Amino acid sequence: MFSVLISLIVATWFSPEFQVEGAVGSDLNCTTYNGTAFVYSNTATICANVISDAACAVLYPADTTGAVAPGNDNGRPLTCYTTATATPAAIVQDMKTAAIADCPATCGYCCETSAYDCANVAYPRLDCSTITSAQCLSATWRTIIAEDCPSACGLCGSGGCVDAVVDCANDVTICTTVGMQDFVNEYCQYTCGRCASSTTSSSGSSSSCTSYAADSSSACADWAANGFCTNTFYTVAQRTAYCATTCKLC
């Protein structure tokens, strides 16, 4: 009898329909545990909705506990992730996919959008978890964040190359204006096509290599996408030790 009960418990736990339930609802993505409850993370609502906020409010009406916001555990609107009308509720992936595509901020799913859903480098120059919205827009911080902590500012997929000044694209004629070249080379690299090639190997590599040591980390592909192979913050020895094959370092 005991073995039957254990089997039932295990089967239920690993069933696709079984979800850990919190005050926020069945889907705990974009949340963090604060010691007593699961609450929404800072990146849960950091992005903008794709369609209007008003339309999202109609499609995904707020729970009776209130709207989703970082630090609270208000119920996530059920229509963001399920066809059920009450919790506990199984996650319906089609419902969630539609919510992420149209109303990620309303549903608290910003961390799962393509701009925010990527790995940060293993050894960032700053604490990715403490980055503020002001830093994301700062010419001083923005390029460093793009290289080391892209998921903190919605810079996933940038390959570490962004405009340090966010308004560069407002007037692309500056890219060819005499007297502006020093400025655009430093602050408008993405808009003006001044990014270093993502395939350029870092100093210390050799084109004469015919084979490379095996990567010692399984995360090299993600690190390389975030600039690890060309980021001079890491020594050639460090890059070779972890990702010799991915970075093509002898």
Side-chain angles (χ1 to χ4, degrees):
M1 182 65 177
F2 179 75
S3 61
V4 173
L5 288 174
I6 293 297
S7 297
L8 287 173
I9 292 171
V10 171
T12 301
W13 179 265
F14 288 102
S15 169
E17 287 76 25
F18 179 83
Q19 304 293 337
V20 176
E21 185 73 19
V24 299
S26 299
D27 190 349
L28 299 180
N29 281 293
C30 300
T31 68
T32 184
Y33 190 68
N34 66 4
T36 57
F38 285 97
V39 298
Y40 294 103
S41 65
N42 290 334
T43 54
T45 60
I46 196 171
C47 63
N49 289 320
V50 176
I51 62 176
S52 71
D53 292 344
C56 288
V58 173
L59 292 171
Y60 304 102
D63 185 78
T64 54
T65 54
V68 171
N72 75 29
D73 64 350
N74 293 341
R76 196 190 303 270
L78 283 172
T79 47
C80 291
Y81 64 91
T82 187
T83 54
T85 57
T87 57
I91 295 172
V92 178
Q93 192 57 47
D94 284 348
M95 297 291 287
K96 183 174 176 178
T97 298
I100 293 172
D102 293 332
C103 302
T106 295
C107 290
Y109 281 144
C110 288
C111 79
E112 293 203 73
T113 61
S114 59
Y116 290 88
D117 187 16
C118 65
N120 296 320
V121 298
Y123 304 105
R125 286 167 282 183
L126 67 169
D127 186 344
C128 298
S129 66
T130 64
I131 292 173
T132 65
S133 297
Q135 284 178 291
C136 291
L137 300 176
S138 167
T140 302
W141 290 104
R142 190 169 166 81
T143 53
I144 296 174
I145 292 171
E147 293 174 356
D148 290 14
C149 305
S151 69
C153 294
L155 299 174
C156 296
S158 68
C161 180
V162 295
D163 291 332
V165 176
V166 296
D167 296 327
C168 290
N170 287 349
D171 180 11
V172 295
T173 64
I174 62 174
C175 297
T176 55
T177 299
V178 175
M180 291 293 290
Q181 295 311 295
D182 288 343
F183 177 87
V184 299
N185 286 342
E186 182 172 359
Y187 296 110
C188 302
Q189 294 183 9
Y190 180 79
T191 293
C192 296
R194 308 299 166 84
C195 301
S197 171
S198 61
T199 59
T200 301
S201 57
S202 59
S203 59
S205 64
S206 171
S207 59
S208 63
C209 290
T210 57
S211 63
Y212 307 92
D215 292 341
S216 62
S217 172
S218 60
C220 287
D222 288 335
W223 294 354
N226 291 324
F228 177 77
C229 294
T230 56
N231 190 336
T232 55
F233 175 75
Y234 308 103
T235 66
V236 173
Q238 288 174 319
R239 284 173 274 171
T240 303
Y242 287 102
C243 303
T245 295
T246 296
C247 296
K248 293 182 171 54
L249 294 169
C250 298

